[in-house]
Amino acid sequence: MNVLDSQYNKLLAVATLALVAGDVLSQDKRPNILYIMSDDHAFQAISAYGGAISALAPTPNIDRIARNGMRFDRAFVENSLSAPSRACTITGLYSHQNGQRQLAEGIDTSCVFVSELLREAGYETGIVGKWHLMCEPKGFDYFHVLNDQGSYYNPVFKSQDSNGKYIREEGYATELITDHALDFLRHRDHSKPFFLMVHHKAPHRSWIPATQYLGMYDDVTFPVPETFMDDYTDRGSAARTQKMSIIKDMGLPSDLKVSDDRNPDESASAMVAEFARMNPDQKKLISEYFEARNRAFCKAGLSGDSLSVWKYETYLRDYLAVIHSVDESVGRLLEYIESDGLLSNTIVIYASDQGFYMGEHGWFDKRFMYEESLRTPLVMMYNGHITPGTVSTEMVQNIDYAPTFLDLAGVKQPKEMSGRSLQPLFKTGTAGKWRNDIYYHYYDYPTWHMVRKHDGVRDDRFKLIHFYGKGGPRAQSENKYQNIPGTVEYNSFVNMVKSGYICDEPDVDYYELYDLQRDPHELHNVYGQPGYEKVTKKLHKTLVKYRKKLKVDEY
Ligand code: SGN
Ligand code: CA
């Protein structure tokens, strides 16, 4: 047992005997809700989930939440992309119901946000960090949010006090977000329970670590996933036409921070923009580290497989160093909850906005309905209510979060919300009657990473996916905001066509079927193969049922 665990147990004992400050002052016995979400955090990079990568780069603080509470092994998103996932969380609605199908414009602000309902019900509500929805934060007593995707270094934030302006703050995003979250907690209204959403920018692309953690994994060699060299045979065209390959699409200068004459066109990268934001002290540390790495890289003169593996290792080293700060942030927040006597009356949740590829199928990024991006990490602890050390394998989804928050607050779930409260799972991880399948729908094409539109269903063992839609620039007509000049979606579409990133591709309309028990890596599409007739029929029926019930309007 580590020091923090024994401290935790001691505090639990104390809490049952004498209520500490926070509890005494509050007459309201409903739990506080602390929801921490990172951006693109793969479950493969959380040691509570086991696995070879995280064993080498552990996350002790996130693991504490799992150990003292529940780990969800089948937590899925409805649409594996940031803004859509956030919109699902805040509205409890599927993407086509809340409007946020793609990355930029979309969210229908006439939808009720769960923050509004909680605030009305007497909660003090706050959001800190990445908001990434093209509307003002709604239903929050306190907000302190980044602009768009945010920056790692010296980011700008907007808050109630800044008169609508974004103001630069000196420091590293993960640390600043944590400082502001703690600020909210310290100055909260003790007569009310709180609902605080802490949304990290990290570990989003281009994975830039805090200066003190630069190179922390440089001596570690991460195991290359067995599907790293996937050649996508046995699958439809979408697996081949995507642009999220570490080998082909990960930029040397932009993602891996080396300047290399072989890739001169990538100079206008996110890394360059970040570097320009840095102050002289930060610049010095960052350039010292990356220049040394660059020299070693150029000297090695890598090509072929050795270059591919170098890219993979370097990607993981940066990504996991970024995660180290996220884990540290979770530790700081837990420490506050403990020391303020809030453990007994606070549910702490840690999740990501979707999953992420750590080299599986040779990829980075997300979007596909294949497991690594469909699955998001989800752990939560709530003393006395969630049994410590429990693992749930029930299928849960990000549309369930809003109903769960409402249930905890004793607020009736609006009938429009399709998700369900996770409270019945809290004791054992399972409930007598739970869902048998989930529905997924991805719409963000043609754009970044060129992943084709698809919807599908997954049950306990099988997954049916339907890839559909016009190919290349012709798909613009299928997307609302890409057709409206002046919108972000329109502008990025035009730029990507101009640069050739959005290229001509055929229209698609085909199915894939995976048997997750026999083929956990989803390498063999068995759709149409003998022996799978019955299950295909069943899953088709389930898919049609969802489309009808949810009034899905494209597929
Ligand atoms: C940016 C990234 C993409 C990423 C999207 C969506 N490119 O456009 O790689 O898929 O965000 O990410 S970058 O060069 O600007 O980093 S999400 O997390 O917001 O959904
Ligand atoms: Ca994301």
Side-chain angles (χ1 to χ4, degrees):
M1 186 181 284
N2 67 29
V3 180
L4 286 171
D5 271 339
S6 70
Q7 216 179 328
Y8 172 81
N9 287 336
K10 248 187 264 158
L11 269 158
L12 285 192
V14 173
T16 47
L17 293 172
L19 294 172
V20 275
D23 289 341
V24 170
L25 286 171
S26 168
Q27 297 303 308
D28 195 327
K29 291 297 165 226
R30 292 175 299 174
N32 303 305
I33 303 168
L34 173 58
Y35 174 77
I36 310 168
M37 179 168 70
S38 50
D39 190 347
D40 291 357
H41 194 175
F43 64 86
Q44 307 91 302
I46 294 182
S47 38
Y49 278 98
I53 292 171
S54 59
L56 296 166
T59 49
N61 293 299
I62 299 171
D63 293 6
R64 268 184 66 209
I65 302 179
R67 198 168 48 246
N68 295 316
M70 189 170 289
R71 186 186 90 203
F72 288 83
D73 279 7
R74 286 188 184 150
F76 302 115
V77 290
E78 187 269 323
N79 181 355
S80 184
L81 196 62
S82 174
S85 169
R86 281 152 218 277
C88 285
T89 301
I90 205 85
T91 63
L93 300 172
Y94 289 90
S95 302
H96 69 285
Q97 299 170 326
N98 65 40
Q100 190 75 50
R101 298 178 198 225
Q102 294 186 274
L103 198 63
E105 288 87 359
I107 192 155
D108 173 359
T109 50
S110 69
C111 295
V112 175
F113 286 11
V114 69
S115 44
E116 294 178 283
L117 296 174
L118 291 171
R119 189 183 188 183
E120 254 167 47
Y123 269 69
E124 186 179 28
T125 55
I127 178 151
V128 174
K130 189 166 167 181
W131 172 243
H132 200 205
L133 292 169
M134 294 188 83
C135 69
E136 291 299 303
K138 196 163 70 120
F140 291 99
D141 295 302
Y142 173 91
F143 66 84
H144 203 98
V145 292
L146 294 166
N147 184 19
D148 195 45
Q149 294 277 17
S151 317
Y152 278 108
Y153 277 86
N154 313 324
V156 294
F157 286 93
K158 179 167 91 174
S159 65
Q160 273 100 338
D161 309 327
S162 71
N163 286 330
K165 284 202 193 93
Y166 285 98
I167 297 173
R168 172 184 161 115
E169 292 180 22
E170 227 44 31
Y172 186 67
T174 309
E175 289 158 20
L176 291 170
I177 289 165
T178 314
D179 294 343
H180 293 300
L182 289 170
D183 210 46
F184 168 86
L185 292 171
R186 286 193 190 110
H187 296 106
R188 71 188 189 277
D189 177 348
H190 283 83
S191 69
K192 292 176 171 182
F194 65 80
F195 170 61
L196 174 63
M197 305 183 98
V198 181
H199 288 187
H200 284 293
K201 178 219 168 30
H204 194 267
R205 197 180 183 185
S206 340
W207 321 296
I208 308 174
T211 48
Q212 70 272 31
Y213 299 130
L214 284 166
M216 69 180 287
Y217 294 117
D218 281 0
D219 295 331
V220 180
T221 302
F222 293 97
V224 177
E226 49 184 289
T227 60
F228 187 61
M229 290 294 181
D230 193 350
D231 61 4
Y232 318 115
T233 45
D234 262 12
R235 269 147 293 165
S237 60
R240 281 185 289 278
T241 56
Q242 45 63 38
K243 292 191 178 178
M244 42 194 259
S245 151
I246 292 177
I247 298 177
K248 289 200 309 235
D249 306 306
M250 187 175 272
L252 279 170
S254 53
D255 292 316
L256 301 170
K257 303 105 184 163
V258 295
S259 50
D260 176 18
D261 294 344
R262 285 173 292 183
N263 294 273
D265 54 339
E266 286 191 71
S267 53
S269 68
M271 182 62 200
V272 171
E274 285 279 358
F275 194 73
R277 309 187 57 77
M278 291 176 196
N279 63 38
D281 292 344
Q282 294 163 340
K283 271 188 179 153
K284 185 169 177 287
L285 293 166
I286 290 276
S287 35
E288 264 168 22
Y289 172 73
F290 286 113
E291 277 168 18
R293 193 161 99 178
N294 191 25
R295 276 194 300 275
F297 171 74
C298 293
K299 199 169 153 211
L302 305 172
S303 61
D305 284 358
S306 59
L307 176 61
S308 306
V309 170
W310 183 88
K311 287 179 97 175
Y312 166 79
E313 294 292 345
T314 307
Y315 157 47
L316 259 72
R317 285 172 186 150
D318 285 349
Y319 180 97
L320 292 161
V322 169
I323 291 296
H324 192 74
S325 294
V326 174
D327 189 64
E328 195 174 70
S329 158
V330 172
R332 286 177 68 198
L333 293 167
L334 289 180
E335 208 173 285
Y336 180 86
I337 296 290
E338 266 182 14
S339 64
D340 205 33
L342 298 172
L343 268 179
S344 60
N345 200 26
T346 302
I347 180 165
V348 182
I349 302 163
Y350 183 84
S352 173
D353 57 353
Q354 3 76 199
F356 212 69
Y357 293 94
M358 303 263 78
E360 300 86 357
H361 305 288
W363 294 339
F364 66 104
D365 216 67
K366 52 264 176 175
R367 299 165 190 266
F368 276 108
M369 199 192 166
Y370 305 131
E371 289 295 275
E372 292 83 359
S373 45
L374 173 66
R375 241 182 97 181
T376 173
L378 177 68
V379 292
M380 52 181 84
M381 68 186 214
Y382 180 16
N383 168 43
H385 298 264
I386 295 181
T387 312
T390 325
V391 173
S392 176
T393 54
E394 295 289 3
M395 286 187 273
V396 307
Q397 230 174 344
N398 53 351
I399 48 157
D400 297 332
Y401 301 169
T404 307
F405 301 153
L406 294 176
D407 193 16
L408 288 163
V411 179
K412 198 165 172 277
Q413 177 176 337
K415 60 177 185 330
E416 304 76 46
M417 285 188 187
S418 313
R420 51 197 292 188
S421 167
L422 302 178
Q423 274 218 76
L425 303 176
F426 281 5
K427 282 280 170 244
T428 62
T430 181
K433 234 176 139 236
W434 195 252
R435 63 164 70 89
N436 298 319
D437 34 63
I438 56 139
Y439 178 70
Y440 179 84
H441 203 147
Y442 172 80
Y443 304 84
D444 202 30
Y445 174 90
T447 182
W448 286 100
H449 305 296
M450 296 295 277
V451 173
R452 303 302 299 246
K453 294 179 184 217
H454 54 291
D455 75 340
V457 285
R458 184 205 193 277
D459 70 13
D460 201 39
R461 177 169 169 186
F462 293 97
K463 189 185 288 183
L464 178 70
I465 313 177
H466 176 234
F467 288 92
Y468 70 94
K470 290 183 181 156
R474 279 171 296 114
Q476 179 193 19
S477 62
E478 293 176 340
N479 300 323
K480 182 169 167 191
Y481 295 97
Q482 281 188 345
N483 280 300
I484 306 177
T487 61
V488 176
E489 293 291 359
Y490 178 89
N491 293 339
S492 63
F493 170 80
V494 170
N495 289 335
M496 286 183 192
V497 171
K498 239 191 242 160
S499 71
Y501 190 87
I502 294 178
C503 46
D504 196 26
E505 289 184 338
D507 299 353
V508 294
D509 178 12
Y510 68 88
Y511 286 88
E512 288 183 352
L513 176 72
Y514 293 96
D515 180 342
L516 300 167
Q517 203 175 76
R518 288 202 183 145
D519 176 27
H521 297 309
E522 298 163 289
L523 297 173
H524 308 289
N525 166 26
V526 292
Y527 189 81
Q529 288 193 8
Y532 289 96
E533 296 83 356
K534 231 167 111 187
V535 65
T536 307
K537 208 168 152 197
K538 180 174 164 240
L539 264 77
H540 264 296
K541 225 169 125 185
T542 310
L543 183 57
V544 169
K545 182 194 81 186
Y546 271 113
R547 286 170 177 170
K548 260 201 190 140
K549 192 175 98 188
L550 299 172
K551 301 195 175 70
V552 178
D553 52 8
E554 61 168 286
Y555 46 84

